[in-house]
Amino acid sequence: MNAEKQRLQDTNWKNWGPYVSNRQWGNVREDYSSNGDAWNFANHNNAESYTYRWGEEGIAGISDVKQLFCFALSFWNKKDKMVKERFFGLSNPQGNHGEDIKEIFYYLDNTPTHSYMKMLYKYPINAFPYDDIRAENGRRSKKEPEYEIFDTGIFDNDEYFDIFIEYAKAEHNDILVRVTIFNRSQNDSPIVVAPTVWFRNNWKWGYNIYKGQTNASYEGCIDINHDSISIKKFYSRNINAESVFL
C-alpha cells in the first residue's frame, strides 16, 4: 500500500491502463449509417471490418492514455467459426431486454495506478453458441427472462477454459503480461492464444498523416516504432504448456 501511495504521486504511472473497451461495436458514437441505425450498421458479426474513430475494443485490452497504441488478447478453441477477438453480445434490437454481453468474465484486481491488474475469462471448449443465443433471445418477449450463455449448456461437464490475465508494471513503460490457462474439463483440448498489438488508426480521420510501424526483429520480439509511444519492444514467450486438471 505504501508503494502504491508513492506511485499515485506520479501521474506517469497511469500512462498505461485498461483504456480499451470490451465492446465498441454498435456504439452510437460510431454511427456512420445513412439512416441513424447504429445497431444494425455495426454489430458483433461485422465489428472486425471497421476501423473505429472514437475508441478501440479487445479482450483484457490496455493502451496509452491517448489510445494511440493498443494491446489485447484473442483466443481460438479450434471449433469456433471465428477467433474470439471481442466479447460477444446482442445489440439493442436483438436482445429481448435490449443490449447485453453474453459472456462470463470477472475483474479480480486493479490498483489505482494500474500497476497490477487481473481478470478471469471463461472460454468454452466447444463451439460458442452464437446462433443459439441470438435466435432464442429474439424469440422471447420482454416479459420473459433473458437467455444467458449458461442456459445453453455450453459449460456443462466443466467444458471450458479458465483464462487468467494479469498485468504488472515494473516501471511506467515496463509492463509484464501473464496469461495462465486451465482446462477445467477431463479431456485434452486445444487453445490458441494470440496476443495482438496495433495502432489506433487516427490518420484515417484527418488528425495527422503519421503512421506508426511494427516490425518483427526476431522470433518472439516486435519492434514498436511510433513518435509518441515510449514502449519500443514487445516480447512474447511460452513459459509452460501442460494439461492441468483441478
Side-chain angles (χ1 to χ4, degrees), residues 170 186 199 224 227-228:
Q186 295 299 312
F199 297 107
I224 301 165
D227 61 358
S228 300

Side-chain angles (χ1 to χ4, degrees), residues 20-243:
V20 178
S21 172
N22 283 330
R23 181 196 64 74
Q24 191 71 16
W25 50 268
N27 195 306
V28 293
R29 294 176 298 170
E30 298 290 346
D31 181 18
Y32 310 114
S33 64
S34 60
N35 60 354
D37 187 357
W39 291 113
N40 287 316
F41 179 78
N43 53 48
H44 176 269
N45 278 8
N46 61 21
E48 63 184 6
S49 302
Y50 288 94
T51 299
Y52 295 106
R53 179 175 185 177
W54 300 109
E56 294 291 336
E57 64 181 355
I59 297 175
I62 65 168
S63 73
D64 62 288
V65 291
K66 294 184 178 180
Q67 209 176 74
L68 297 174
F69 184 74
C70 305
F71 168 86
L73 290 151
S74 299
F75 307 100
W76 187 43
N77 56 17
K78 294 193 175 183
K79 294 180 181 178
D80 279 345
K81 58 185 178 183
M82 64 183 76
V83 175
K84 179 66 67 172
E85 295 180 334
R86 57 188 52 79
F87 287 141
F88 170 69
L90 301 176
S91 66
N92 195 50
Q94 290 175 330
N96 63 322
H97 291 170
E99 172 198 2
D100 191 24
I101 288 181
K102 301 297 186 183
E103 302 270 10
I104 297 180
F105 58 95
Y106 304 93
Y107 296 110
L108 302 178
D109 204 350
N110 196 340
T111 61
T113 63
H114 313 306
S115 58
Y116 179 75
M117 298 176 282
K118 184 178 183 179
M119 74 168 291
L120 166 63
Y121 173 46
K122 293 181 178 290
Y123 181 39
I125 284 174
N126 297 309
F128 198 92
Y130 294 106
D131 296 335
D132 182 24
I133 292 174
R134 269 192 295 263
E136 182 60 23
N137 277 281
R139 184 192 66 79
R140 296 189 180 191
S141 69
K142 294 181 179 179
K143 295 182 179 180
E144 295 178 277
E146 296 176 17
Y147 186 60
E148 304 291 0
I149 185 172
F150 47 78
D151 295 323
T152 67
I154 195 68
F155 293 108
D156 290 355
N157 302 316
D158 295 330
E159 293 183 334
Y160 65 91
F161 299 103
D162 267 340
I163 304 175
F164 291 90
I165 302 146
E166 296 173 272
Y167 292 89
K169 297 180 184 177
E171 291 292 342
H172 307 149
N173 302 308
D174 187 0
I175 307 171
L176 171 70
V177 187
R178 180 167 66 181
V179 181
T180 307
I181 302 176
F182 295 95
N183 177 357
R184 297 305 190 190
S185 78
Q186 295 299 312
N187 302 312
D188 290 339
S189 301
I191 183 169
V192 176
V193 182
T196 307
V197 295
W198 74 98
F199 297 107
R200 179 184 172 194
N201 187 355
N202 58 2
W203 57 86
K204 178 179 179 180
W205 307 106
Y207 294 119
N208 56 55
I209 61 173
Y210 179 79
K211 297 182 181 181
Q213 297 289 328
T214 57
N215 304 100
S217 56
Y218 56 86
E219 185 177 357
C221 179
I222 295 175
D223 292 328
I224 301 165
N225 301 299
H226 194 285
D227 61 358
S228 300
I229 298 299
S230 50
I231 291 180
K232 300 302 181 183
K233 295 283 187 179
F234 177 81
Y235 302 97
S236 174
R237 62 174 175 156
N238 187 358
I239 298 175
N240 187 22
E242 60 179 272
S243 298

